[in-house]
Amino acid sequence: MPILFDIPEEVLDLIGDLLDNREVANIVLTCKHLLRRFSPLLWKSVILQVRPQKQLIPIDQLQARAQWVHSLQCRGSLPFEYYNVVFPTLSELTLESSPTRTNCNRTAQEYNWACLVRHNPTIKHVSLHCPNGLNRDTSEFWVALSTSLYNPKRLKVSGSGVHSFSTSDQELFWRAVSKFQEVDYGGSDQMGGGRHNRVDFRRLARLSYMSKDWLGNLYAQLSWFSRCHALTRLRWSHPSGYFPCDDFIELLKQATWPLLDDLALERVMHGDEDIAVAIRFMPPMKQFSLQAWSFGPLSFDDLRMRHFGTLRSLFLASCEGFTSRMALEVLQNCSLLEVFGARNIAVVDL
């Protein structure tokens, strides 16, 4: 097959990027040349999970090909030796707690997670999904995240089992959070005890914070946000019916987030005039999403004057006062707009 051997390696790499795992698995069966070239792609993303009637990847095979693994998912509890494998180029790690665990198993699993992180300091992106709870003592894991990684980029923590941590674990959690540039958190509010006040968050640039507690302290959350001066993105979600609009406006007037250009707010219950003031003092937005039932003409006027020239994504479908004529004006005058969500546009306005 002289023609195949003549294809530059860069071209083969581009072809490989377009193939899914099933297609790669078929290609490597055709000849030794393609087997050597494309085999690493089969190991680029690995999922480890103990399931009935399905064998876990043998540990010796995983160790022999560890240098090819860039993304690793660990679902549930695995044998201890799997957490001691060194993956030289691992950049993305996803951890999912076991569906049913005793307290003993929880402690062991979170210790194993810490071991895996310590063995692989090249990890940049960490995702932790806990549908059934974490152990009360998670200190080893948070310490590993905050001290072991060379260049952490993104941390995602989610799941109905993410409860409020103990006071000591909260401070370790916040220290881990401070090491990442992007944080996406969904779970119980972690503001109790004020441990976040002891940590410097100057590295944090993109933040999504979704508290699931009806009694979550929104003022404490806002106080934390105010210390993250480098934010370019803030997405704030909460089940509470009260949004601290006055305090938020004051922070905007003080230019607390001068680089902010992506903002999503929910359950803003204040009137049209207050919403207008907030929009007026926001930095020019590229992405803006708002859930505010009192959004009206005053808010829209400030939106037009302050943000029409920069908006690329606008979502106001949850604003009952955002009318069809307003939506049409957005489409006519936001020249950079790529994504738009509105309640409706009347045919008569078109």
Side-chain angles (χ1 to χ4, degrees), residues 17 20 33 41 56 62 109 120 126 146 223 238 240 246 264 269 300 302 306 312 325 330 336:
D17 290 340
D20 60 31
H33 177 64
L41 295 179
L56 190 63
L62 186 63
Q109 187 170 75
N120 295 280
V126 180
S146 61
S223 175
H238 53 87
S240 175
D246 294 337
M269 307 296 289
F300 184 73
D302 280 290
R306 181 66 168 162
R312 296 181 182 273
R325 289 187 178 274
V330 168
L336 301 178

Side-chain angles (χ1 to χ4, degrees), residues 33-66:
H33 177 64
L34 293 182
L35 174 63
R36 287 192 298 269
R37 190 65 201 171
F38 288 113
S39 286
L41 295 179
L42 293 174
W43 292 87
K44 189 174 183 180
S45 180
V46 172
I47 299 175
L48 298 177
Q49 182 177 14
V50 177
R51 287 184 290 183
Q53 301 179 343
K54 191 162 185 179
Q55 184 181 10
L56 190 63
I57 298 174
I59 187 66
D60 57 338
Q61 291 187 23
L62 186 63
Q63 290 172 328
R65 297 163 178 82

Side-chain angles (χ1 to χ4, degrees), residues 2 16 23 83-84 102 104 148 151 156 180-181 190 243 247 251 253 268 275 303 306 323 332 341 344:
E23 293 167 330
Y83 298 101
N84 286 312
T102 64
C104 180
S148 302
N151 187 24
K156 181 177 181 180
F180 289 82
Q181 296 178 6
Q190 300 296 340
F243 177 82
D247 295 68
L251 291 173
K253 289 180 178 180
V268 180
I275 298 170
L303 183 69
R306 181 66 168 162
T323 66
Q332 290 173 330
N344 59 72

Side-chain angles (χ1 to χ4, degrees), residues 267-285:
R267 296 180 178 270
V268 180
M269 307 296 289
H270 286 59
D272 187 24
E273 184 175 351
D274 290 329
I275 298 170
V277 174
I279 292 175
R280 187 182 313 149
F281 285 97
M282 291 176 188
M285 289 290 118

Side-chain angles (χ1 to χ4, degrees), residues 124-292:
K124 295 182 179 179
H125 310 294
V126 180
S127 180
L128 175 62
H129 182 59
C130 304
N132 291 290
L134 285 167
N135 182 51
R136 281 291 173 182
D137 181 9
T138 55
S139 57
E140 288 281 345
F141 178 66
W142 302 124
V143 169
L145 284 185
S146 61
T147 60
S148 302
L149 304 183
Y150 294 149
N151 187 24
K153 298 285 188 180
R154 185 182 70 244
L155 172 65
K156 181 177 181 180
V157 181
S158 64
S160 57
V162 182
H163 52 68
S164 294
F165 303 132
S166 66
T167 302
S168 58
D169 278 8
Q170 272 190 1
E171 184 166 350
L172 297 174
F173 165 75
W174 288 118
R175 292 194 182 281
V177 166
S178 71
K179 302 299 181 180
F180 289 82
Q181 296 178 6
E182 178 178 343
V183 173
D184 185 346
Y185 176 83
S188 295
D189 190 18
Q190 300 296 340
M191 296 297 162
R195 296 291 174 165
H196 57 286
N197 293 321
R198 303 184 181 186
V199 183
D200 185 353
F201 295 97
R202 71 181 68 186
R203 182 175 169 84
L204 186 58
R206 296 174 296 279
L207 173 63
S208 299
Y209 192 85
M210 182 176 68
S211 169
K212 298 180 180 179
D213 295 340
W214 277 94
L215 300 178
N217 191 336
L218 299 187
Y219 288 97
Q221 293 173 27
L222 185 58
S223 175
W224 171 44
F225 301 157
S226 71
R227 300 177 57 240
C228 305
H229 300 295
L231 287 182
T232 61
R233 184 182 75 193
L234 174 60
R235 297 175 181 174
W236 190 9
S237 177
H238 53 87
S240 175
Y242 183 78
F243 177 82
C245 192
D246 294 337
D247 295 68
F248 185 68
I249 289 172
E250 190 60 35
L251 291 173
L252 290 173
K253 289 180 178 180
Q254 297 170 10
T256 303
W257 307 286
L259 304 177
L260 189 68
D261 61 14
D262 183 345
L263 178 64
L265 300 174
E266 293 187 4
R267 296 180 178 270
V268 180
M269 307 296 289
H270 286 59
D272 187 24
E273 184 175 351
D274 290 329
I275 298 170
V277 174
I279 292 175
R280 187 182 313 149
F281 285 97
M282 291 176 188
M285 289 290 118
K286 293 180 180 178
Q287 285 84 33
F288 183 48
S289 176
L290 180 66
Q291 184 186 67

